[in-house]
Amino acid sequence: PEDDALFMSLVGTNNRHGRTILQAGLNGDVPLAKFEAHWAETCTAAIANGIPVKAGVHDLLTQLTAQNTPFAIATSSNTQKAWKHLSESGIDHHFDTLIGGDQVQNSKPAPDIYLQAAATLKIAPQDCAAFEDSENGVRAAHAAGMITVQIPDLKHPSDTLQKLNHTIASDLITGARQINLIPMTRCSDAR
């Protein structure tokens, strides 16, 4: 419970910001280096048989490409690691632009990463849609002024977060339809 709150606060933050939060939260009870080594081992084991993708991701990427809609990834993960994970999940070919957490000064929930992604795409932030799963990510996209869609993953949005009046959807396709990013027609590939 107390540890859960600490770990949930890390979701959506970049490595530098996450280490600061983690070090304070561990309060010297566990050496940070020991925790990070255990975490790396656990993560490696968890994705040993492949990296799962959210339901509808293939459909959405195919649809956006067909519509000539520009899109990017704005992830708190390290850029090189993110490209590796995209490749391992078989969706890297859809992306030309990826902004990693190591490319911005301030981590989510600050809007920096979304503002940089919009600038790279040469699109005004208010004309962009951001799809997020984490509270920190939702706060970042909202602060950037983007149309924000949350697909909850590890945690249901808190009452405080819901006051942002962003779109909350059960899956990517539903969220994209709710904000009129893609037509209401049925997509063919339901993965």
Side-chain angles (χ1 to χ4, degrees), residues 1-170:
E2 188 175 309
D3 288 344
D4 288 350
L6 170 63
F7 299 134
M8 290 307 294
S9 73
L10 300 171
V11 177
T13 63
N14 67 17
N15 189 45
R16 183 176 56 251
H17 185 62
R19 288 185 94 224
T20 302
I21 293 170
L22 188 57
Q23 189 152 21
L26 292 175
N27 197 28
D29 294 337
V30 176
L32 184 60
K34 183 177 180 178
F35 179 87
E36 288 178 328
H38 175 72
W39 183 255
E41 234 176 76
T42 302
C43 288
T44 300
I47 61 173
N49 295 321
I51 297 175
V53 296
K54 285 199 178 290
V57 74
H58 295 282
D59 277 348
L60 182 59
L61 295 173
T62 299
Q63 182 87 11
L64 293 175
T65 300
Q67 295 174 181
N68 292 317
T69 303
F71 53 92
I73 291 185
T75 177
S76 294
S77 296
N78 170 282
T79 303
Q80 185 176 355
K81 186 177 184 179
W83 277 120
K84 181 177 184 282
H85 286 173
L86 286 172
S87 176
E88 290 171 357
S89 63
I91 60 173
D92 59 320
H93 64 282
H94 287 286
F95 298 95
D96 295 324
T97 304
L98 185 149
I99 308 299
D102 54 315
Q103 295 181 47
V104 294
Q105 181 64 35
N106 298 305
S107 177
K108 295 175 185 178
D112 300 28
I113 199 162
Y114 277 112
L115 295 173
Q116 186 167 334
T120 301
L121 292 173
K122 297 181 169 94
I123 301 173
Q126 66 271 17
D127 295 331
C128 294
F131 288 79
E132 270 293 346
D133 58 357
S134 74
E135 184 163 321
N136 285 323
V138 168
R139 290 187 185 287
H142 186 266
M146 296 185 172
I147 299 162
T148 307
V149 179
Q150 183 178 15
I151 313 300
D153 187 12
L154 299 173
K155 178 181 166 187
H156 187 73
S158 67
D159 291 342
T160 304
L161 192 68
Q162 289 183 44
K163 289 179 183 173
L164 295 179
N165 291 321
H166 63 292
T167 298
I168 301 171
S170 59

